[in-house]
Amino acid sequence: MEVPLPHLTIHHRTTYQYREPVQLGPHRLMLRPRESRDLRIISTTLAISPEATITWAQDVAGNAVATATFQTITDRLVISCSTEVELSAAVWPVFDIAALAISFPFRYSDEDWTDLGALTVMQHADPVGRLASWAQGFVLGSSTDTLSLLKDLSAGVSGALAYETRDDEGTQSPLESLDRRAGSCRDFAVLFAEAVRSLGFGARLVSGYLHDPGEALMGSQGTGTTHAWAEVFVPGAGWITFDPTNRSIGGANLIPVAMVRDIAQSVPVSGSYVGQPKAFELMSVEISVAAA
């Protein structure tokens, strides 16, 4: 008997409130999940108040980006996106890693190395090699099983940091995270990605949604929330998903929206307004991820 694939509905609502009417500038929206072999979009609706002109494009990484432009002066902006998806990622994935990459260290092919480009380059300063040394500590001998190394590093990040909810903007640098020994899911993801890059792997940061019907996973608020994790490119297997916040591998409970070099490129909603500096009053975000 064929097991039905889980259908999930994601509601993401962002509200901006202003103390007086303002002229809204263009707003950049990254809210549409990325379709793949493991995820199919059944339907998606984007609603904005006040009325806006919406144009769609793909950025350099292939993420869907909507730009909303406004003509109306307003004291309130509401952006709502509802998407129904079919998620088929395996709970216990098996990776067919190429023979040349089963053991670390290995060398990417010239073609892969060229295409991975900046994804192999550390994005945060490590002036005395402290992060690189920390990552090297997970390499067991001159020939280490590649997948085991990556799993150990992911677990190592979770062991080094205590999870905390941080609502302030921005992400800690990897060295800040190691010093503070605490961070949010995006801090976990950045530390892991930078650590594997220091070892020569290509890695990208991913932002999206965490589906947690049991409400047992780190980073969860209710049955669903925004979340951040990372992917590492391994020849043969391709991009392998690691969620260091939850010490998990594979995307069974993850719904990707943006895949980026730097986590700052994955902000779901960004924009501007013309008005008094103190006109901005508050921003609120409501998210739910539930079975359709």
Side-chain angles (χ1 to χ4, degrees):
M1 179 182 294
E2 194 171 302
V3 178
L5 297 174
H7 284 211
L8 305 174
T9 298
I10 306 151
H11 296 292
H12 188 145
R13 178 185 174 99
T14 303
T15 302
Y16 293 91
Q17 190 70 44
Y18 302 90
R19 294 185 175 88
E20 59 188 56
V22 298
Q23 176 63 60
L24 298 170
H27 278 59
R28 182 177 185 269
L29 316 176
M30 298 182 75
L31 300 169
R32 179 187 173 93
R34 285 183 62 125
E35 290 194 89
S36 68
R37 179 175 58 84
D38 294 331
L39 187 145
R40 182 173 70 90
I41 294 178
I42 298 170
S43 66
T44 184
T45 303
L46 178 61
I48 301 177
S49 176
E51 185 177 352
T53 299
I54 302 172
T55 56
W56 287 91
Q58 285 185 307
D59 67 10
V60 69
N63 303 305
V65 180
T67 300
T69 54
F70 304 86
Q71 300 298 324
T72 307
I73 293 176
T74 185
D75 62 0
R76 190 167 186 263
L77 169 62
V78 181
I79 300 168
S80 298
C81 185
S82 296
T83 307
E84 183 180 354
V85 303
E86 182 181 79
L87 186 61
S88 59
V91 176
W92 303 106
V94 176
F95 303 103
D96 187 16
I97 297 175
L100 66 88
I102 288 176
S103 296
F104 176 86
F106 65 87
R107 184 182 185 279
Y108 287 122
S109 69
D110 291 344
E111 291 81 4
D112 285 346
W113 186 256
T114 298
D115 291 337
L116 287 167
L119 298 179
T120 64
V121 179
M122 296 175 66
Q123 304 297 304
H124 296 266
D126 186 25
V128 297
R130 181 180 164 205
L131 175 61
S133 177
W134 181 81
Q136 190 66 38
F138 292 88
V139 180
L140 304 177
S142 58
S143 181
T144 300
D145 181 79
T146 298
L147 189 58
S148 295
L149 168 61
L150 294 172
K151 288 179 178 178
D152 288 348
L153 256 173
S154 179
V157 169
S158 183
L161 306 184
Y163 177 79
E164 64 179 8
T165 300
R166 273 196 313 110
D167 294 327
D168 51 315
E169 294 184 7
T171 303
Q172 296 172 173
S173 73
L175 295 182
E176 288 175 319
S177 294
L178 289 176
D179 286 337
R180 291 192 64 243
R181 300 190 62 81
S184 66
C185 61
R186 61 187 185 272
D187 302 315
F188 279 62
V190 168
L191 175 57
F192 173 75
E194 288 288 88
V196 299
R197 285 169 176 166
S198 77
L199 295 176
F201 289 95
R204 59 190 182 188
L205 281 302
V206 189
S207 70
Y209 303 100
L210 174 67
H211 175 51
D212 182 21
E215 300 186 37
L217 298 175
M218 288 289 187
S220 179
Q221 299 175 14
T223 58
T225 185
T226 54
H227 195 54
W229 59 96
E231 293 184 348
V232 181
F233 186 80
V234 179
W239 291 103
I240 301 179
T241 297
F242 291 89
D243 179 4
T245 305
N246 290 294
R247 301 192 183 195
S248 64
I249 185 168
N253 59 333
L254 301 172
I255 303 163
V257 171
M259 298 175 177
V260 296
R261 169 183 51 81
D262 188 308
I263 198 67
Q265 299 170 310
S266 66
V267 177
V269 178
S270 60
S272 62
Y273 72 89
V274 178
Q276 296 297 320
K278 295 183 179 180
F280 176 75
E281 184 174 7
L282 60 86
M283 179 190 77
S284 63
V285 180
E286 303 166 57
I287 295 167
S288 67
V289 182

